[in-house]
Short mmCIF file of all heavy atoms in Angstrom, two decimals:
data_model
loop_
_atom_site.label_atom_id
_atom_site.label_comp_id
_atom_site.label_asym_id
_atom_site.label_seq_id
_atom_site.Cartn_x
_atom_site.Cartn_y
_atom_site.Cartn_z
N MET A 12 0.83 -1.18 0.02
CA MET A 12 -0.07 -0.01 -0.01
C MET A 12 0.86 1.22 0.00
O MET A 12 2.04 1.21 0.52
CB MET A 12 -0.87 0.02 1.24
CG MET A 12 -1.95 -1.06 1.23
SD MET A 12 -2.99 -0.91 2.73
CE MET A 12 -1.96 -1.60 4.01
N ASP A 16 1.26 11.68 0.21
CA ASP A 16 1.60 12.28 1.50
C ASP A 16 2.39 13.59 1.28
O ASP A 16 3.06 13.74 0.25
CB ASP A 16 2.39 11.22 2.24
CG ASP A 16 2.85 11.57 3.66
OD1 ASP A 16 3.95 12.19 3.75
OD2 ASP A 16 2.22 11.21 4.54
N TYR A 22 -3.49 16.27 7.74
CA TYR A 22 -4.33 15.14 7.39
C TYR A 22 -3.50 13.91 7.05
O TYR A 22 -3.80 12.77 7.47
CB TYR A 22 -5.36 15.48 6.32
CG TYR A 22 -6.08 16.72 6.57
CD1 TYR A 22 -5.72 17.93 6.02
CD2 TYR A 22 -7.13 16.74 7.60
CE1 TYR A 22 -6.40 19.14 6.38
CE2 TYR A 22 -7.79 17.86 7.95
CZ TYR A 22 -7.46 19.09 7.30
OH TYR A 22 -8.06 20.24 7.66
N LYS A 33 0.54 0.78 13.94
CA LYS A 33 0.05 -0.54 13.55
C LYS A 33 1.11 -1.39 12.85
O LYS A 33 0.85 -2.52 12.51
CB LYS A 33 -1.23 -0.52 12.69
CG LYS A 33 -2.48 -0.02 13.38
CD LYS A 33 -3.64 0.01 12.43
CE LYS A 33 -5.02 0.29 13.10
NZ LYS A 33 -5.43 -0.88 13.91
N LEU A 44 2.05 13.19 -9.65
CA LEU A 44 1.39 14.16 -10.53
C LEU A 44 1.46 15.57 -9.96
O LEU A 44 1.05 16.50 -10.60
CB LEU A 44 -0.09 13.73 -10.66
CG LEU A 44 -0.34 12.44 -11.37
CD1 LEU A 44 -1.83 12.01 -11.27
CD2 LEU A 44 0.12 12.44 -12.80
N LEU A 63 -4.89 6.88 0.11
CA LEU A 63 -4.27 5.59 0.30
C LEU A 63 -4.50 4.72 -0.99
O LEU A 63 -5.66 4.56 -1.36
CB LEU A 63 -4.92 4.86 1.51
CG LEU A 63 -4.36 3.51 1.87
CD1 LEU A 63 -2.85 3.67 2.50
CD2 LEU A 63 -5.21 2.77 2.83
N TRP A 75 -9.97 10.54 7.54
CA TRP A 75 -10.75 9.71 8.55
C TRP A 75 -11.18 8.37 7.96
O TRP A 75 -11.09 7.33 8.64
CB TRP A 75 -11.95 10.54 9.11
CG TRP A 75 -12.55 9.78 10.20
CD1 TRP A 75 -13.61 8.93 10.12
CD2 TRP A 75 -12.19 9.75 11.65
NE1 TRP A 75 -13.96 8.32 11.31
CE2 TRP A 75 -13.07 8.85 12.26
CE3 TRP A 75 -11.17 10.36 12.33
CZ2 TRP A 75 -13.00 8.55 13.65
CZ3 TRP A 75 -11.12 10.14 13.70
CH2 TRP A 75 -11.99 9.28 14.35
N LEU A 81 -8.00 1.33 7.73
CA LEU A 81 -6.83 0.62 8.30
C LEU A 81 -7.19 -0.09 9.65
O LEU A 81 -6.75 -1.18 9.93
CB LEU A 81 -5.64 1.58 8.45
CG LEU A 81 -5.07 2.18 7.19
CD1 LEU A 81 -3.97 3.15 7.42
CD2 LEU A 81 -4.51 1.08 6.27
N MET A 84 -9.23 -3.18 8.76
CA MET A 84 -8.46 -4.21 8.04
C MET A 84 -7.37 -4.79 8.97
O MET A 84 -7.02 -5.99 8.79
CB MET A 84 -7.82 -3.61 6.79
CG MET A 84 -8.77 -3.32 5.68
SD MET A 84 -9.55 -4.75 5.00
CE MET A 84 -8.24 -5.66 4.23
N ALA A 99 -18.30 6.51 19.92
CA ALA A 99 -18.96 7.81 19.51
C ALA A 99 -18.05 9.01 20.02
O ALA A 99 -17.84 9.96 19.29
CB ALA A 99 -20.35 7.88 20.06
N LEU A 119 -5.67 31.24 9.50
CA LEU A 119 -4.42 31.96 9.86
C LEU A 119 -3.28 31.69 8.88
O LEU A 119 -2.36 32.51 8.79
CB LEU A 119 -4.01 31.68 11.29
CG LEU A 119 -4.86 32.32 12.36
CD1 LEU A 119 -4.47 31.81 13.76
CD2 LEU A 119 -4.73 33.80 12.39
N ASP A 129 -3.72 41.10 7.99
CA ASP A 129 -5.01 41.71 8.33
C ASP A 129 -5.25 41.51 9.76
O ASP A 129 -5.71 40.44 10.20
CB ASP A 129 -6.10 41.06 7.41
CG ASP A 129 -7.50 41.57 7.79
OD1 ASP A 129 -7.68 42.16 8.85
OD2 ASP A 129 -8.40 41.41 6.91
N LEU A 150 -14.78 18.70 26.48
CA LEU A 150 -15.00 17.32 25.96
C LEU A 150 -14.01 16.37 26.63
O LEU A 150 -14.37 15.30 27.08
CB LEU A 150 -14.77 17.26 24.47
CG LEU A 150 -15.83 18.00 23.59
CD1 LEU A 150 -15.51 17.92 22.12
CD2 LEU A 150 -17.26 17.36 23.77
N ASP A 166 -7.91 10.85 19.20
CA ASP A 166 -6.72 11.58 19.64
C ASP A 166 -5.76 11.81 18.46
O ASP A 166 -5.18 12.87 18.29
CB ASP A 166 -5.91 10.72 20.68
CG ASP A 166 -6.79 10.41 21.87
OD1 ASP A 166 -7.15 11.34 22.58
OD2 ASP A 166 -6.98 9.23 22.23
N ASP A 187 1.80 31.16 24.69
CA ASP A 187 1.60 29.84 25.13
C ASP A 187 0.13 29.51 24.80
O ASP A 187 -0.78 29.64 25.67
CB ASP A 187 1.83 29.80 26.70
CG ASP A 187 1.67 28.39 27.23
OD1 ASP A 187 1.26 27.50 26.45
OD2 ASP A 187 1.83 28.23 28.45
N VAL A 195 -6.32 20.51 27.74
CA VAL A 195 -5.79 20.21 26.38
C VAL A 195 -4.25 20.20 26.51
O VAL A 195 -3.62 19.30 25.92
CB VAL A 195 -6.23 21.29 25.40
CG1 VAL A 195 -5.68 21.03 24.05
CG2 VAL A 195 -7.78 21.39 25.32
N ARG A 220 8.51 24.36 9.07
CA ARG A 220 9.55 25.32 9.13
C ARG A 220 10.11 25.61 7.71
O ARG A 220 10.39 26.73 7.32
CB ARG A 220 10.72 24.93 10.05
CG ARG A 220 10.29 24.63 11.46
CD ARG A 220 9.86 25.87 12.28
NE ARG A 220 8.95 25.52 13.30
CZ ARG A 220 8.08 26.28 13.90
NH1 ARG A 220 8.00 27.58 13.59
NH2 ARG A 220 7.26 25.91 14.82
#
Side-chain angles (χ1 to χ4, degrees):
M12 289 181 287
D16 180 273
Y22 307 102
K33 288 180 173 289
L44 296 172
L63 183 71
W75 186 267
L81 294 175
M84 288 297 290
L119 285 171
D129 178 341
L150 292 177
D166 298 303
D187 183 359
V195 180
R220 302 290 153 202

